Amino acid sequence: MGRGKFKGKPTGHRNFSSPADIAAGTSRRPRTFKREEAEEEVEVEELEEGVEEEPEKRKGTEGLIEIENPNLATVKNVKAKDVDIERKTELSRREREEIEKQKAHERYMRLQEQGKTEQARKDLERLAIIRQQRAEAAKKREEEKAAREHKKAEARK
């Protein structure tokens, strides 16, 4: 039954499947469409693409400006049988930089312990001066203590 002059929701939207969707089997075709027919069409297209390598015609300014969208992530599904276990995974830039930073810090600390860095040399010089001052202060205290004991001994006599 009609509800009146206006329709409640917009109708008539059409969804078109791209050749990639058809090849992947994710198109929104009716159930009567056979996948075998789609696979045959894809094989024929692949054969044609192998023979003729024409660049795709793009609409509007797309053909003039070559831009790759860095945000467009293609889904890369890898089957378990295709996985190479021996291959090492590559580290990201941040992970590489973090590891390099840690190694540099460890190298610096080793040199610091050996006393080969500028900062270590300055620290050792300061430490030598402080030890010398403490030795002089200890010597002075002992002299004063000996002088007091000497006065006490004279006072007793």
Side-chain angles (χ1 to χ4, degrees):
M1 288 271 189
R3 293 186 159 229
K5 187 175 178 182
F6 300 105
K7 294 180 183 177
K9 295 181 182 176
T11 58
H13 291 290
R14 293 184 181 179
N15 293 325
F16 296 100
S17 300
S18 67
D21 291 338
I22 294 170
T26 59
S27 66
R28 296 183 183 177
R29 295 263 185 164
R31 292 181 187 254
T32 58
F33 181 77
K34 295 180 183 175
R35 289 182 187 255
E36 297 170 14
E37 293 174 3
E39 291 173 359
E40 290 174 2
E41 290 176 8
V42 171
E43 289 175 7
V44 170
E45 289 176 6
E46 289 176 356
L47 291 174
E48 291 175 0
E49 288 177 3
V51 174
E52 300 175 29
E53 295 184 9
E54 290 184 19
E56 293 181 20
K57 290 187 177 180
R58 298 179 182 168
K59 296 180 182 178
T61 59
E62 290 180 8
L64 300 174
I65 303 171
E66 301 266 339
I67 297 176
E68 285 189 26
N69 186 354
N71 298 324
L72 181 64
T74 56
V75 179
K76 296 180 183 179
N77 294 333
V78 180
K79 294 183 180 178
K81 64 180 182 180
D82 297 335
V83 174
D84 187 12
I85 298 173
E86 287 88 30
R87 189 184 73 156
K88 294 183 179 179
T89 57
E90 296 180 10
L91 298 174
S92 67
R93 179 186 56 83
R94 287 184 181 172
E95 292 170 338
R96 277 195 314 268
E97 288 176 355
E98 184 66 28
I99 290 171
E100 290 172 5
K101 185 178 177 183
Q102 289 174 353
K103 287 181 180 179
H105 182 69
E106 290 172 7
R107 232 180 293 119
Y108 181 78
M109 293 309 285
R110 261 188 259 120
L111 291 174
Q112 185 82 359
E113 289 174 5
Q114 295 171 359
K116 294 183 179 179
T117 62
E118 282 291 321
Q119 186 178 0
R121 288 186 193 121
K122 289 178 182 177
D123 289 344
L124 290 173
E125 289 174 6
R126 266 189 250 117
L127 186 62
I129 292 170
I130 291 171
R131 283 183 181 159
Q132 184 181 5
Q133 289 173 350
R134 287 182 180 170
E136 289 173 1
K139 187 176 181 182
K140 189 176 181 181
R141 267 185 267 130
E142 290 209 10
E143 288 176 359
E144 289 176 359
K145 186 177 180 182
R148 271 187 263 134
E149 287 179 9
H150 184 67
K151 284 184 181 179
K152 283 185 184 178
E154 286 181 13
R156 288 184 193 163
K157 289 185 184 180

